[in-house]
């Protein structure tokens, strides 16, 4: 019995001496270097999160701009069908607006659309074979482009490009092309102009055969 008591007493003294040892107390906490590393990791994680959220917000705004252009084309075709009268879609690259001819009410639903700040309508391309034969008319980079829309809601096939820009007018993203099929109004988005060129070449024989 005395041996057990002595053993327990010795064990307690050994544990107490380890706890009192400054070296052991030092290992039980965090060093300044360890705390610095943790804070650095938190800062890096927060920065990555903020950048990701900013990128998501920017992509969301681009989606809104592209969708508004697609909706304007659709509404213009529907209005021509309902009124059974031809109309014109005017794309003004200088004023950065898209409107129906005769409408000056910028921002009014179905009449005119203004491209918001931070984005730019860069150019318009005609995809019809007859227009492509006329050389530089296949691409419009400034001024106004007028697109006829028949009472049946038909237009020439065309494409518009949009990109993001900073306050100094410097592009901050590659251009996104929206391609509109003239007969159906169906739209398709293309981010690579080489793909757009291939699409133009592929539809030319079909257009020629239809005529």
């Amino acid at each position: 019995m005395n041996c057990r008591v002595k053993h327990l007493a010795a064990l307690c003294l050994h544990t107490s001496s380890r706890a009192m040892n400054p070296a052991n107390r030092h290992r039980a906490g965090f060093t300044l270097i360890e705390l610095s590393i943790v804070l650095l990791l938190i800062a890096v994680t927060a920065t990555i999160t903020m950048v990701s959220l900013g990128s998501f917000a920017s992509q969301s705004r681009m989606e809104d701009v592209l969708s508004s252009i697609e909706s304007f084309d659709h509404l213009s075709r529907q209005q021509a069908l309902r009124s059974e009268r031809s109309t014109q879609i005017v794309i003004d690259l200088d004023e950065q607006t898209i409107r129906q001819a005769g409408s000056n009410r910028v921002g009014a639903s179905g009449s005119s659309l203004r491209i918001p700040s931070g984005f730019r309508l860069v150019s318009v391309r005609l995809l019809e074979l007859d227009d492509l034969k006329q050389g530089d008319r296949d691409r419009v980079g400034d001024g106004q482009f007028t697109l006829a829309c028949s009472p049946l809601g038909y237009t020439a096939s065309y494409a518009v490009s949009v990109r993001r820009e900073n306050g100094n007018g410097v592009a901050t993203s590659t251009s996104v092309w929206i391609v509109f099929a003239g007969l159906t109004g169906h739209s398709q988005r293309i981010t690579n102009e080489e793909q757009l060129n291939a699409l133009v070449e592929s539809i030319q024989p079909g257009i020629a055969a239809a005529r």
Side-chain angles (χ1 to χ4, degrees):
M1 183 68 176
N2 290 335
C3 291
R4 291 182 179 179
V5 172
K6 290 179 181 180
H7 178 70
L8 289 174
L11 182 61
C12 289
L13 288 173
H14 178 68
T15 303
S16 176
S17 65
R18 290 187 62 187
M20 294 295 291
N21 190 333
N24 289 328
R25 288 203 305 273
H26 176 73
R27 286 195 296 269
F30 291 99
T31 66
L32 181 60
I33 295 177
E34 290 171 335
L35 287 174
S36 299
I37 293 175
V38 171
L39 292 175
L40 178 61
L41 290 174
I42 293 174
V44 170
T45 302
T47 301
I48 293 174
T49 302
M50 292 179 64
V51 171
S52 298
L53 290 175
S55 177
F56 175 79
S58 181
Q59 290 292 339
S60 179
R61 290 190 63 205
M62 173 63 92
E63 175 66 27
D64 291 341
V65 172
L66 298 177
S67 295
S68 65
I69 295 173
E70 292 168 339
S71 296
F72 188 89
D73 178 272
H74 175 73
L75 290 174
S76 297
R77 295 172 189 270
Q78 290 299 312
Q79 182 172 329
L81 277 169
R82 287 195 300 268
S83 65
E84 297 183 347
R85 297 178 59 183
S86 62
T87 186
Q88 291 180 326
I89 300 174
V90 181
I91 303 174
D92 195 324
L93 298 176
D94 293 335
E95 296 295 329
Q96 290 295 292
T97 60
I98 305 176
R99 61 183 175 84
Q100 292 180 17
S103 172
N104 294 318
R105 296 179 300 159
V106 175
S109 177
S111 61
S112 186
L113 170 70
R114 182 179 295 280
I115 303 303
S117 175
F119 297 86
R120 184 170 185 82
L121 278 172
V122 182
S123 60
V124 183
R125 286 189 62 174
L126 302 179
L127 309 184
E128 299 288 355
L129 184 65
D130 287 349
D131 292 321
L132 289 173
K133 286 182 177 179
Q134 299 179 30
D136 58 358
R137 282 200 59 200
D138 70 323
R139 180 188 291 268
V140 179
D142 55 20
Q144 291 185 353
F145 167 75
T146 301
L147 184 72
C149 182
S150 75
L152 295 177
Y154 298 158
T155 69
S157 297
Y158 71 104
V160 296
S161 63
V162 183
R163 72 184 180 200
R164 288 193 297 271
E165 291 186 348
N166 61 21
N168 297 321
V170 178
T172 58
S173 73
T174 57
S175 296
V176 177
W177 287 90
I178 310 177
V179 181
F180 294 95
L183 294 180
T184 64
H186 176 74
S187 62
Q188 178 182 353
R189 298 178 188 177
I190 297 177
T191 56
N192 189 326
E193 191 165 1
E194 292 181 357
Q195 295 178 357
L196 178 61
N197 293 334
L199 177 63
V200 171
E201 292 176 359
S202 68
I203 66 175
Q204 284 184 15
I207 296 174
R211 294 180 177 178

